[in-house]
Amino acid sequence: IQQLRQQEEERLKMKEFEFEQSKKEEEARLLKLRNEIRSQKKKVSKERKRIAQQVQKQKRQEDMRRQLEQEREKLNEKKNKLKEKELEKRKIESEAERAQQEMELRIARQKEEQGRFRMQQQDEEDRMLRHHEKIQEIHNAEAE
């Protein structure tokens, strides 16, 4: 009976030992799994950060592209305005030249009529002065 008890105790100790070993192996396996999960979480977090940074970079690039497009449009508008001003300047210069020719013709005719010559000459000089002031204003505007 004592031998049977001893055998039973040894068998129980053996089972307990096997259970403890199994328990340790399971804890080691769980620890390994926890570490793997932690590692995967870190990887996922890093990937999320990388993606967020990439999205921010793309947003910045898109904003810069939009800003450049707006600046290009503004430059085109300014270019068109300058072209319009240049055309207006040419028109005024042409008018001034035509006015100059008309004035010279009038002066030649008015030399024959000495009495009215002085008044008409004064009118024409005033008119030319206005044209030159317009041209000067355009030149000043372009210089600005």
Side-chain angles (χ1 to χ4, degrees):
I1 292 175
Q2 202 169 3
Q3 191 180 3
L4 281 175
R5 259 189 211 152
Q6 203 174 8
Q7 286 176 349
E8 185 62 25
E9 281 179 23
E10 285 178 15
R11 194 179 62 79
L12 284 174
K13 284 181 182 178
M14 192 67 162
K15 284 206 175 222
E16 191 177 323
F17 176 77
E18 288 173 358
F19 174 77
E20 288 298 322
Q21 281 298 107
S22 170
K23 186 177 170 184
K24 286 179 184 177
E25 288 172 3
E26 187 64 23
E27 285 174 355
R29 192 179 68 79
L30 284 174
L31 184 62
K32 186 177 177 183
L33 285 173
R34 284 187 190 117
N35 288 338
E36 181 63 26
I37 289 171
R38 195 174 298 121
S39 171
Q40 290 297 325
K41 282 182 178 180
K42 285 181 182 178
K43 286 180 183 177
V44 167
S45 178
K46 283 183 181 179
E47 183 64 14
R48 283 183 179 160
K49 285 179 183 177
R50 188 191 66 77
I51 290 171
Q53 288 174 341
Q54 195 172 11
V55 167
Q56 286 299 320
K57 183 179 176 182
Q58 288 174 343
K59 284 181 181 179
R60 284 192 304 272
Q61 288 174 339
E62 182 63 24
D63 290 344
M64 285 177 62
R65 189 196 61 75
R66 256 189 248 110
Q67 186 178 3
L68 286 174
E69 185 62 33
Q70 289 174 348
E71 288 176 14
R72 188 179 301 125
E73 288 174 11
K74 286 179 184 178
L75 286 174
N76 283 337
E77 288 175 17
K78 286 182 180 181
K79 184 178 171 184
N80 289 338
K81 285 180 182 180
L82 282 176
K83 284 181 182 179
E84 288 175 15
K85 286 181 180 181
E86 183 64 28
L87 286 173
E88 186 66 24
K89 175 185 161 188
R90 288 180 189 164
K91 180 180 174 184
I92 290 173
E93 287 173 346
S94 173
E95 286 179 22
E97 191 175 319
R98 186 179 50 78
Q100 178 72 29
Q101 292 171 354
E102 287 177 10
M103 187 176 83
E104 290 171 1
L105 257 173
R106 287 182 184 161
I107 289 173
R109 290 180 190 155
Q110 289 171 357
K111 280 186 181 179
E112 298 170 4
E113 304 175 27
Q114 204 52 297
R116 292 176 13 196
F117 173 75
R118 287 188 178 100
M119 288 181 67
Q120 287 179 349
Q121 184 182 23
Q122 186 63 43
D123 290 345
E124 198 62 26
E125 285 174 358
D126 289 346
R127 185 172 169 211
M128 282 305 297
L129 185 63
R130 284 192 303 274
H131 281 291
H132 286 294
E133 287 173 353
K134 283 183 185 177
I135 291 171
Q136 188 62 42
E137 287 176 15
I138 289 173
H139 286 295
N140 290 342
E142 286 177 353
E144 289 178 15

